[in-house]
Amino acid sequence: MKKILISLVLFGLIASAFSAIYIVAVGQYGTLEKNLLSTALALMIFSLTAFSAGTWLSRYRFSAVAYGGIIASVLGFLAFVTGIWWQMYEWSDLTLWGNNRIRIVLEIVYNVSALVAFSFAHMALILHGYFQKRSINILISFTIFWNILLTFALLSYQIFRFNPPEGFWRAVVILGILILLGSVTTPILVKTSRR
């Protein structure tokens, strides 16, 4: 599985580079070129999130984080790519649902999958500092808790599309700052505790 994820990351990087070179060399930036570049960039980004989460597969720990991140990355990539190519070819005439409903479903699947993929990738990366000292484990646990709270807040906003109550976005920013603080301080504490 790790070789497949590494291959996807490398393929995404190479495809992005060659797409960009093609666009620059041809000198046109139309819908086709935009979609090619967007597809390659999405492949690279979601390969990285899947790879980050998948690092735990070979260690047989935190397998829920690993599989959750990989599945969310694949769904996010598929929804994003389907959405951008859908607009180009107007495949909506071939469906029974109609264009509007499919775009809404694709948008929700993409947003939810991307959010979950990034959340799992973050958790997988920060968990590498686990099993050190108790204070580091507590910091990691709080950071993951804040990550989960932020993810659920944004998921509920995305899925239910409600008018957020006053203070919602402030709470989201505060959670983001706490996650950033935990994400930056954890590797520093892990590094200094090994000395």
Side-chain angles (χ1 to χ4, degrees):
M1 181 62 115
K2 196 172 184 179
K3 289 182 181 180
I4 293 172
L5 293 174
I6 291 172
S7 299
L8 282 174
V9 169
L10 290 175
F11 179 76
L13 288 170
I14 292 167
S16 295
F18 280 112
S19 296
I21 290 169
Y22 169 77
I23 291 168
V24 170
V26 171
Q28 295 177 349
Y29 191 71
T31 305
L32 176 65
E33 291 81 11
K34 180 186 83 167
N35 288 354
L36 285 172
L37 189 57
S38 297
T39 301
L41 289 173
L43 179 62
M44 182 182 66
I45 290 168
F46 285 110
S47 295
L48 286 172
T49 58
F51 182 70
S52 298
T55 56
W56 286 104
L57 286 178
S58 60
R59 296 179 184 171
Y60 304 108
R61 290 184 180 158
F62 306 115
S63 58
V65 171
Y67 286 116
I70 291 169
I71 291 168
S73 297
V74 169
L75 287 175
F77 172 74
L78 292 176
F80 180 78
V81 170
T82 303
I84 61 171
W85 288 98
W86 191 279
Q87 292 174 2
M88 182 174 178
Y89 288 109
E90 294 296 330
W91 292 332
S92 58
D93 296 338
L94 305 174
T95 66
L96 299 175
W97 266 10
N99 194 17
N100 224 8
R101 288 185 190 167
I102 289 182
R103 281 193 184 160
I104 290 171
V105 169
L106 284 173
E107 180 184 326
I108 290 173
V109 169
Y110 164 70
N111 289 337
V112 168
S113 300
L115 183 62
V116 171
F118 282 107
S119 178
F120 276 114
H122 176 262
M123 281 190 266
L125 291 175
I126 201 162
L127 281 170
H128 285 286
Y130 211 71
F131 307 116
Q132 301 287 324
K133 291 183 173 180
R134 183 182 174 111
S135 59
I136 296 172
N137 291 345
I138 291 171
L139 178 62
I140 290 171
S141 298
F142 273 114
T143 304
I144 289 174
F145 175 71
W146 296 322
N147 184 344
I148 291 169
L149 279 179
L150 179 65
T151 302
F152 277 120
L154 293 175
L155 282 176
S156 62
Y157 176 74
Q158 177 58 43
I159 292 171
F160 301 115
R161 297 181 182 257
F162 59 89
N163 287 330
E166 187 174 329
F168 177 81
W169 294 113
R170 288 179 194 223
V172 165
V173 170
I174 289 170
L175 286 171
I177 292 169
L178 289 172
I179 292 167
L180 182 63
L181 178 65
S183 301
V184 170
T185 56
T186 298
I188 294 170
L189 290 175
V190 168
K191 190 74 169 173
T192 56
S193 71
R194 290 182 182 164
R195 292 181 180 170

